[in-house]
Amino acid sequence: MAQFYPDVVSPLADPVISAIFANVEVAGKAADSLIRRILATDGETIGKILNVTPQYTHEDPFARGCRVDIDVEYTKQTEAIVEVQVYPDSAILQRNLLSFSHKVINKSRKGDSHQQMAARMPKIISINLLAYPARKDNSELVQPFKILYTKSPQVVAIPNFSGYNIQLPAVLDMPPDFEDGLYCWCYTLYAAHIQGKTIEEVLQMQPQLKAFLDEDEGYKQFCDRFDYFSATPEERDRFISWQLGAMRQEGMFMAAEERGIEIGLARGLEQGLERGLERGLEQGAIATATRMLSRGYSIEDIIFATELPAEIILSLKITP
C-alpha cells in the first residue's frame, strides 16, 4: 500500500496528546494550564501536579480516545483523569464512575472502619475533552457533573468525585473571548482539529492568541510540541498506518463473521472463511475511503491508500 500523509495530525489524536501531556521533568505545564482553567469554571482548585502518565489501554483508534492520569499534590491525594474523545461515546460518564470506583476499592482495606476508609479515599476529578456535543440540549462549553441527592435540596452526595465535560464544538458558537484563557485553549484545539491546521496557522488566523501565547507557559509548551510533532513525517506515518490498519481489520473481522460462517456451513469452513476475509478486506478499504472522503482527502490520495478503483471511490462520494 502506498504511503500518504495528512497535512497535520489532529491535536486530539492519541500520540499527540501523549506527547503534549507527558513531561515528568516539569510535571506537564500544558496539562497544568488547561486543567486549572477548566476547574476554575466551577470554583475547584488543585495543588501542584506531580506526575502525568498517558495510558495506552486500547488497540482501536476509533473505539475511544486517549486517557491521561495526573497525580496532584493535595491535602488528600488527588488524581485527575483526563480523557480525550474524538468520536461520540455514550458510555463516557459510566466509565468515569467506574474509574472512580476502582480507585476507591484500591485504597480500601479489609476491616476498615468508615473513618479509615474516608481517610484513605482519594479525590478523583474526571475531565473529558470532547470533539462532539455530549448533550445536544446544552450548548455550554463546560458542563460540570457531580453525584447528587435527587431530592430537594440537591446537594453533593459524594464530595470526593467530580467531573467536567468540555464540549469543544461549543467554542465556535460562543462570542469570541480571547481574553479568557480557557476559550483560547478550546478554540485552538478544536480549530486545529476540524480544519487540519498547524498551531502556527491557527495563530495567524487569530492574532489575539499570540498575547495568550506570550503569557501562558503551558499553552506555549502545547503549541511548541504540537507543531514539532505534526511536522514529523515518521510520527504521522505511524499514526495513519494505525488508523488504516484498524479500519481494514474491523471490516475484515465483520465480514469474516457474517459471510464466513454462512458460506462455511454450506461449502466448508475453510472456503467460507477465505471468501469472508476477501470481502472483509474490500469492506475495510471502502470504510477507509469513506472516512477519508469525509475528512477532505483527494481522490488520488484515497486511491493510493486503499487501492480501490476510482469509480468505486467516486460512487461513495456521490452517495447521500
Side-chain angles (χ1 to χ4, degrees):
M1 182 181 71
Q3 301 289 344
F4 76 97
Y5 297 102
D7 292 334
V8 179
V9 178
S10 167
L12 300 180
D14 288 37
V16 180
I17 291 294
S18 297
I20 293 168
F21 289 104
N23 188 343
V24 176
E25 290 78 13
V26 296
K29 290 180 181 178
D32 188 88
S33 170
L34 178 57
I35 288 172
R36 289 184 191 280
R37 294 179 185 278
I38 290 172
L39 300 185
T41 63
D42 195 36
E44 178 71 81
T45 61
I46 57 172
K48 178 184 177 182
I49 289 183
L50 302 176
N51 198 24
V52 182
T53 310
Q55 301 291 334
Y56 297 96
T57 57
H58 57 294
E59 298 178 357
D60 183 351
F62 307 106
R64 53 164 289 192
C66 187
R67 166 175 162 169
V68 183
D69 287 354
I70 299 173
D71 297 323
V72 179
E73 185 179 68
Y74 209 69
T75 52
K76 284 199 266 187
Q77 182 186 5
T78 302
E79 297 183 36
I81 301 173
V82 180
E83 291 208 24
V84 181
Q85 297 286 340
V86 175
Y87 302 100
D89 179 6
S90 60
I92 189 166
L93 293 184
Q94 290 92 317
R95 189 162 60 250
N96 293 157
L97 292 172
L98 286 171
S99 297
F100 171 69
S101 66
H102 280 295
K103 298 287 185 179
V104 171
I105 290 171
N106 289 338
K107 295 292 183 180
S108 301
R109 297 179 184 174
K110 188 174 181 179
D112 273 353
S113 66
H114 172 268
Q115 291 81 6
Q116 289 172 321
M117 288 184 66
R120 293 196 183 99
M121 187 179 294
K123 182 178 178 65
I124 304 295
I125 301 172
S126 290
I127 298 174
N128 304 316
L129 294 174
L130 308 176
Y132 57 90
R135 296 170 61 197
K136 294 182 180 179
D137 59 343
N138 188 300
S139 59
E140 295 180 9
L141 178 60
V142 182
Q143 291 190 336
F145 55 90
K146 316 281 184 183
I147 300 177
L148 304 174
Y149 288 105
T150 58
K151 294 292 186 180
S152 182
Q154 287 191 344
V155 296
V156 176
I158 302 181
N160 292 69
F161 174 80
S162 59
Y164 299 81
N165 281 341
I166 314 304
Q167 299 186 127
L168 291 175
V171 78
L172 300 185
D173 299 323
M174 298 170 57
D177 183 7
F178 293 99
E179 299 282 325
D180 179 5
L182 181 57
Y183 179 89
C184 293
W185 262 106
C186 294
Y187 180 90
T188 305
L189 287 169
Y190 196 60
H193 169 66
I194 63 170
Q195 298 181 25
K197 295 184 180 298
T198 65
I199 298 302
E200 183 57 36
E201 290 172 326
V202 174
L203 293 174
Q204 290 174 1
M205 290 166 44
Q206 299 294 344
Q208 304 97 314
L209 288 170
K210 293 184 178 179
F212 183 55
L213 181 72
D214 293 336
E215 72 181 47
D216 191 288
E217 290 187 11
Y219 180 73
K220 185 178 187 306
Q221 182 189 73
F222 157 74
C223 293
D224 291 344
R225 287 189 173 202
F226 175 56
D227 274 346
Y228 174 80
F229 187 96
S230 67
T232 306
E234 294 79 7
E235 294 293 347
R236 284 181 289 169
D237 181 30
R238 187 178 298 115
F239 179 64
I240 295 301
S241 295
W242 180 40
Q243 284 187 312
L244 295 180
M247 291 177 187
R248 290 194 171 196
Q249 189 176 52
E250 179 184 9
M252 181 181 67
F253 287 158
M254 179 176 64
E257 182 177 3
E258 292 178 358
R259 292 288 295 158
I261 294 176
E262 175 186 336
I263 299 173
L265 292 174
R267 302 184 181 178
L269 183 60
E270 182 176 350
Q271 180 185 3
L273 286 175
E274 182 178 348
R275 289 187 59 181
L277 290 173
E278 290 175 358
R279 182 168 177 264
L281 286 173
E282 181 181 357
Q283 287 188 350
I286 290 174
T288 299
T290 302
R291 290 182 192 268
M292 291 177 68
L293 280 170
S294 69
R295 296 178 186 179
Y297 288 99
S298 68
I299 299 298
E300 292 75 16
D301 281 342
I302 299 173
I303 292 173
F304 282 131
T306 64
E307 300 179 356
L308 288 172
E311 55 268 22
I312 292 181
I313 297 172
L314 288 172
S315 70
L316 294 173
K317 188 173 183 179
I318 63 175
T319 300

